[in-house]
Amino acid sequence: MSTSKLSINADRLNSTLQETCTSWGALAAPSTGMCRLTLSQEDKEVRDWLVGECKSLGCEVKVDQMGNVFAIRPGTAKDKKPIGMGSHLDTQPAGGRYDGVLGVQAALEVLRVLHENNVETHCPIALIDWTNEEGARFPGAMMASGVWSQKSSTPLEACWGTQDKEGMLMKQALEEIGYLGSTPCDYKDNGLECHFELHIEQGPILEREGKSVGIVTSVQGMKWFAVRVTGVEGHSGTTPMPDRSDALVTASRLISAVRDTALKTELGVATVGVINSDTSSQATIPAGIDFIIDIRCSTDNMVDELAKAIIAAFDAISKEEANDTKYEIKRTWGLPESKFHPICIGSVRSAALEEVNEDQVMEMKSRAGHDSAWTSRVCPTSMIFVPSKDGISHNPNEYTSPEHCALGAQLLLNAVIHYDEKVRLAEY
Amino acid sequence: MSTSKLSINADRLNSTLQETCTSWGALAAPSTGMCRLTLSQEDKEVRDWLVGECKSLGCEVKVDQMGNVFAIRPGTAKDKKPIGMGSHLDTQPAGGRYDGVLGVQAALEVLRVLHENNVETHCPIALIDWTNEEGARFPGAMMASGVWSQKSSTPLEACWGTQDKEGMLMKQALEEIGYLGSTPCDYKDNGLECHFELHIEQGPILEREGKSVGIVTSVQGMKWFAVRVTGVEGHSGTTPMPDRSDALVTASRLISAVRDTALKTELGVATVGVINSDTSSQATIPAGIDFIIDIRCSTDNMVDELAKAIIAAFDAISKEEANDTKYEIKRTWGLPESKFHPICIGSVRSAALEEVNEDQVMEMKSRAGHDSAWTSRVCPTSMIFVPSKDGISHNPNEYTSPEHCALGAQLLLNAVIHYDEKVRLAEY
């Protein structure tokens, strides 16, 4: 291949990103937010477009059993697995244009640059759109990369069996939009040489520190817990206050305690993002409340410590309430702390230093989960972070400047080339 | 008419009540609870049955624009309005077999007794099934009696325009089950001489005091307030705890304060029965929470005082939180304190003393709202209460003994006869 410096086309990257977000899943103007739930009609349409683009660049496109799209540009070494560039095109119900989307669009831009420069890489190069990273429609974030890694506690059939709020099975949703593929969703059958992911930071650190690039060395551990509080239904007019067993009042005390405990212990973050009530009548004392706690800390030990502290706070509240409500808590999902691979981290570092000064770069942990957390368990992995304005994400106002988007894409290209060179040199 | 003592048939009353509850809207066994939401298929079927029964007893049946059913047995005085016996057949989503249902079934039993004894009353006698008393499907309790009274702040068109959770308009729901009638829903066009309602107490007082009958002299005042808490959406992993503007945490503090304030002030009862979140993703900090507060006190002044105390508590929380969440509160619905009519109260008292000793009877206020609260604004009204086991209502375990159901029905019959005599004597 040519070793002359390849450059991504910043305008093409940014206009493609904006146009596809406007076309498929945009919230009503003036919001620039997105609602592109996984396997929705909007998701189908952006997938169809992506597949078409990749095919036009000479890629072979495989869709696996979880709907993950692998668009593979051949390399010269026919026996090598592809170097992966993955992220996701699905969004939160009120998300932004960059979370996940930037990583896939940057990967497409890399494929375009390789194609128009007739670059012959040693390894194949793959763009990957991972299904249901957000877990916003079918519960379970990073679901499909988890299946692919074979390390998740939720295997293929269980994921297929999850339901959205309307009761649609995930397998049915895959079928309906034509993305229930036949390629095994298993890294052993459809593997990668390594996995790079460009992503927005989704936090305030890069901006606060005045850096342009984060070299991600790990992903913090996280666990989700489902809590159910039960009380006794009663008439809101006739049941005296002291006689009540109000599940919503108790749930409210517990939710307050989740925040208070996370603040006080400083072990990490804890969030209640979902709450549901069995009864939905103004005139009835609620008897069943469900909510989910999301706990994330730098290490798995800290996750467990914070969970313990929250449960201790819950028990204290249960005792002092003496209103006969009860709570149950069970762990539903978790992602252990993920350490990225030194060679991939090195490739990202080299890629960055080709573009910016050392003082623009910092190593960091990811505080959000990513598909790379799962890929890191079965192939060398690292991530590139670019700054998020005001640290805002999972919000329509999520924003990363066109310059930072372009810089991230250039680093992704550099890192892929760097890693490919390493593999080639190791062989000859 | 014959003045020999008429007796209701207790077995027939109780078996009809149990059979119709089993047939239309029963929750799955072993629960004896009910889910007969207004204008549902189950409600249509029990209405159809009721209309058939009343017609077989020689009643004329009118359905008004809100679906209220008036089954009228003619009297000898052709120019008199009917003496009403009203209540409701709809239930909460997880309600019992007695709330509302007993009042309608007892009225049917009264019609049956009058029919089989060929009793000629002076006034016509009407059974009324009021639509959507519960407000559990279409928001707004006692909705259709409110329209009929022309005193509610939600007039006909506004009620027709309310939507259930699936977005169905009430008018459409009335049409679909064939109960959008042409009779004006207006007491001026379709009036009543007076209104009696037999109802379960739904509270613990009669049982606690060892009484069999409550003579209801008034209904406590109530107001509903809609609260909206807004924050800023953010990623549950990357947004540091101190930087968060979490609407659910703030809502939880406010809901706790509703209970604490009602307990502390002892002015009345306050309940949050409904909570909804805009976002429903485990990984997103909630930015919009809605909940409804139901406040009930003996007098309108106490309602206002309790509301003021709750809002003061909210403001204190807003200040100390300093997390940039905001709340708005607005009054959505209210029912002023209702005082019942001395003549009707007297008829209920006479009716009771024909059956039980004075020491079995007590005067009381209703702490729940009832259709009688609206009718009392435009025609003389009173209510008969019978005991609720453990004071439980709006719950599948709601229970009133067959003996108390029968006693209540007998009192309803006695009161109607008593009032009819009063009208007849006033005229001759």
Side-chain angles (χ1 to χ4, degrees), chain A residues 6-68:
Chain A
L6 295 168
S7 290
I8 65 104
N9 181 332
D11 288 345
R12 180 171 59 190
L13 167 72
N14 283 301
S15 62
T16 306
L17 186 152
Q18 298 299 335
E19 281 162 18
T20 55
C21 282
T22 311
S23 299
W24 299 299
L27 295 177
S31 172
T32 58
M34 297 289 293
C35 176
R36 192 159 63 201
L37 296 178
T38 196
L39 311 183
S40 62
Q41 182 60 27
E42 295 76 20
D43 189 32
K44 172 199 163 44
E45 288 172 8
V46 73
R47 282 163 173 258
D48 289 350
W49 165 85
L50 180 71
V51 166
E53 290 297 303
C54 291
K55 284 186 174 165
S56 78
L57 300 171
C59 294
E60 179 205 0
V61 174
K62 297 197 253 182
V63 176
D64 76 13
Q65 296 160 303
M66 282 295 288
N68 297 317

Side-chain angles (χ1 to χ4, degrees), chain B residues 208-364:
Chain B
R208 211 173 268 171
E209 304 286 325
K211 307 287 184 185
S212 302
V213 175
I215 301 167
V216 188
T217 58
S218 66
V219 176
Q220 67 182 357
M222 57 188 92
K223 283 186 181 171
W224 289 358
F225 295 87
V227 181
R228 177 159 180 81
V229 185
T230 49
V232 179
E233 278 178 347
H235 190 290
S236 64
T238 59
T239 314
M241 295 304 298
D243 296 2
R244 294 177 175 213
S245 178
D246 186 324
L248 180 55
V249 168
T250 301
S252 296
R253 312 252 206 245
L254 302 184
I255 290 166
S256 283
V258 168
R259 172 167 169 88
D260 295 341
T261 307
L263 264 173
K264 198 182 63 193
T265 60
E266 295 186 345
L267 287 162
V269 292
T271 311
V272 177
V274 171
I275 183 166
N276 285 305
S277 173
D278 290 0
T279 40
S280 59
S281 159
Q282 289 93 326
T284 302
I285 297 163
I289 301 284
D290 292 288
F291 63 88
I292 295 174
I293 313 174
D294 170 312
I295 298 178
R296 310 194 188 203
C297 305
S298 314
T299 70
D300 295 338
N301 276 346
M302 288 164 85
V303 169
D304 291 336
E305 241 187 284
L306 181 48
K308 236 170 87 177
I310 287 170
I311 291 169
F314 282 12
D315 287 338
I317 289 167
S318 293
K319 258 189 211 154
E320 85 201 17
E321 282 287 321
N323 64 357
D324 276 343
T325 55
K326 290 186 174 46
Y327 85 90
E328 286 167 38
I329 184 165
K330 65 174 181 207
R331 196 188 130 184
T332 55
W333 182 83
L335 179 68
E337 185 193 353
S338 310
K339 293 193 170 69
F340 287 158
H341 195 279
I343 295 182
C344 286
I345 294 171
S347 294
V348 171
R349 171 172 292 282
S350 304
L353 297 181
E354 285 177 42
E355 308 299 327
V356 293
N357 284 331
E358 178 93 41
D359 65 1
Q360 285 296 299
V361 177
M362 68 183 283
E363 290 202 349
M364 62 195 305

Side-chain angles (χ1 to χ4, degrees), chain B residues 47-329:
Chain B
R47 283 162 173 259
D48 288 352
W49 165 85
L50 180 71
V51 167
E53 291 297 304
C54 291
K55 284 186 174 164
S56 78
L57 301 171
C59 294
E60 178 205 1
V61 174
K62 297 197 251 180
V63 177
D64 76 13
Q65 296 160 302
M66 282 296 286
N68 296 319
V69 175
F70 289 74
I72 303 169
R73 183 172 188 273
T76 51
K78 292 304 171 198
D79 59 329
K80 300 306 288 179
K81 288 179 285 185
I83 293 174
M85 307 178 288
S87 202
H88 58 96
L89 288 174
D90 70 321
T91 76
Q92 289 285 319
R97 296 186 172 183
Y98 304 90
D99 172 3
V101 180
L102 174 61
V104 176
Q105 292 291 356
L108 176 64
E109 177 57 30
V110 170
L111 293 178
R112 284 172 166 169
V113 171
L114 297 178
H115 183 71
E116 66 196 5
N117 289 284
N118 299 311
V119 176
E120 289 193 337
T121 55
H122 183 65
C123 299
I125 310 291
L127 170 155
I128 305 139
D129 175 26
W130 296 105
T131 299
N132 195 27
E133 194 274 345
E134 295 291 359
R137 178 175 174 195
F138 297 99
M142 293 144 265
M143 185 190 267
S145 52
V147 173
W148 179 84
S149 76
Q150 304 284 311
K151 303 289 187 237
S152 161
S153 57
T154 315
L156 179 67
E157 296 280 348
C159 291
W160 277 350
T162 58
Q163 292 182 316
D164 69 8
K165 276 201 284 193
E166 273 70 46
M168 185 184 276
L169 292 172
M170 186 174 198
K171 188 172 185 188
Q172 191 187 345
L174 283 163
E175 266 169 357
E176 285 207 359
I177 68 156
Y179 279 84
L180 180 64
S182 56
T183 300
C185 184
D186 185 338
Y187 78 98
K188 295 190 294 295
D189 294 298
N190 182 38
L192 295 172
E193 197 66 33
C194 63
H195 186 260
F196 290 102
E197 182 170 7
L198 166 64
H199 208 282
I200 58 169
E201 181 200 342
Q202 307 184 276
I205 296 170
L206 286 175
E207 189 181 65
R208 211 173 268 171
E209 304 286 325
K211 307 287 184 185
S212 302
V213 175
I215 301 167
V216 188
T217 58
S218 66
V219 176
Q220 67 182 357
M222 57 188 92
K223 283 186 181 171
W224 289 358
F225 295 87
V227 181
R228 177 159 180 81
V229 185
T230 49
V232 179
E233 278 178 347
H235 190 290
S236 64
T238 59
T239 314
M241 295 304 298
D243 296 2
R244 294 177 175 213
S245 178
D246 186 324
L248 180 55
V249 168
T250 301
S252 296
R253 312 252 206 245
L254 302 184
I255 290 166
S256 283
V258 168
R259 172 167 169 88
D260 295 341
T261 307
L263 264 173
K264 198 182 63 193
T265 60
E266 295 186 345
L267 287 162
V269 292
T271 311
V272 177
V274 171
I275 183 166
N276 285 305
S277 173
D278 290 0
T279 40
S280 59
S281 159
Q282 289 93 326
T284 302
I285 297 163
I289 301 284
D290 292 288
F291 63 88
I292 295 174
I293 313 174
D294 170 312
I295 298 178
R296 310 194 188 203
C297 305
S298 314
T299 70
D300 295 338
N301 276 346
M302 288 164 85
V303 169
D304 291 336
E305 241 187 284
L306 181 48
K308 236 170 87 177
I310 287 170
I311 291 169
F314 282 12
D315 287 338
I317 289 167
S318 293
K319 258 189 211 154
E320 85 201 17
E321 282 287 321
N323 64 357
D324 276 343
T325 55
K326 290 186 174 46
Y327 85 90
E328 286 167 38
I329 184 165

Side-chain angles (χ1 to χ4, degrees), chain A residues 308-330:
Chain A
K308 238 170 85 178
I310 287 170
I311 291 169
F314 282 13
D315 287 338
I317 289 167
S318 292
K319 259 188 209 153
E320 85 199 18
E321 283 288 319
N323 63 357
D324 275 343
T325 56
K326 290 188 175 44
Y327 86 90
E328 285 167 38
I329 183 165
K330 65 173 182 207

Side-chain angles (χ1 to χ4, degrees), chain A residues 92-95 99 134-136 139-141 165 201-204 208 220 224 232-246 248-249 251-253 255-260 262-263 268-277 279-286 289 291-292 294 296 321 323 366-369 391-396, chain B residues 92-95 99 134-136 139-141 165 201-204 208 220 224 232-246 248-249 251-253 255-260 262-263 268-277 279-286 289 291-292 294 296 321 323 366-369 391-396:
Chain A
Q92 290 284 319
D99 172 3
E134 296 291 359
K165 275 201 283 194
E201 182 201 339
Q202 308 182 273
R208 209 172 270 171
Q220 67 183 358
W224 288 359
V232 179
E233 279 179 346
H235 190 291
S236 64
T238 58
T239 315
M241 294 306 297
D243 297 1
R244 293 177 177 214
S245 177
D246 186 324
L248 180 55
V249 168
S252 296
R253 312 253 206 245
I255 291 166
S256 283
V258 169
R259 172 168 168 86
D260 294 342
L263 264 173
V269 292
T271 311
V272 177
V274 171
I275 185 167
N276 285 305
S277 173
T279 40
S280 59
S281 160
Q282 290 92 325
T284 302
I285 297 164
I289 301 284
F291 63 87
I292 295 173
D294 170 314
R296 309 192 190 205
E321 283 288 319
N323 63 357
S366 170
R367 314 210 315 164
I392 292 173
S393 186
H394 286 199
N395 182 305
Chain B
Q92 289 285 319
D99 172 3
E134 295 291 359
K165 276 201 284 193
E201 181 200 342
Q202 307 184 276
R208 211 173 268 171
Q220 67 182 357
W224 289 358
V232 179
E233 278 178 347
H235 190 290
S236 64
T238 59
T239 314
M241 295 304 298
D243 296 2
R244 294 177 175 213
S245 178
D246 186 324
L248 180 55
V249 168
S252 296
R253 312 252 206 245
I255 290 166
S256 283
V258 168
R259 172 167 169 88
D260 295 341
L263 264 173
V269 292
T271 311
V272 177
V274 171
I275 183 166
N276 285 305
S277 173
T279 40
S280 59
S281 159
Q282 289 93 326
T284 302
I285 297 163
I289 301 284
F291 63 88
I292 295 174
D294 170 312
R296 310 194 188 203
E321 282 287 321
N323 64 357
S366 170
R367 316 213 312 164
I392 291 173
S393 185
H394 285 197
N395 181 304

Side-chain angles (χ1 to χ4, degrees), chain A residues 313-359:
Chain A
F314 282 13
D315 287 338
I317 289 167
S318 292
K319 259 188 209 153
E320 85 199 18
E321 283 288 319
N323 63 357
D324 275 343
T325 56
K326 290 188 175 44
Y327 86 90
E328 285 167 38
I329 183 165
K330 65 173 182 207
R331 199 189 128 183
T332 56
W333 183 83
L335 179 67
E337 185 194 355
S338 311
K339 291 194 170 68
F340 287 159
H341 196 279
I343 295 181
C344 286
I345 294 171
S347 292
V348 171
R349 173 173 291 282
S350 302
L353 297 182
E354 283 177 43
E355 306 300 328
V356 294
N357 282 331
E358 178 92 44
D359 66 1

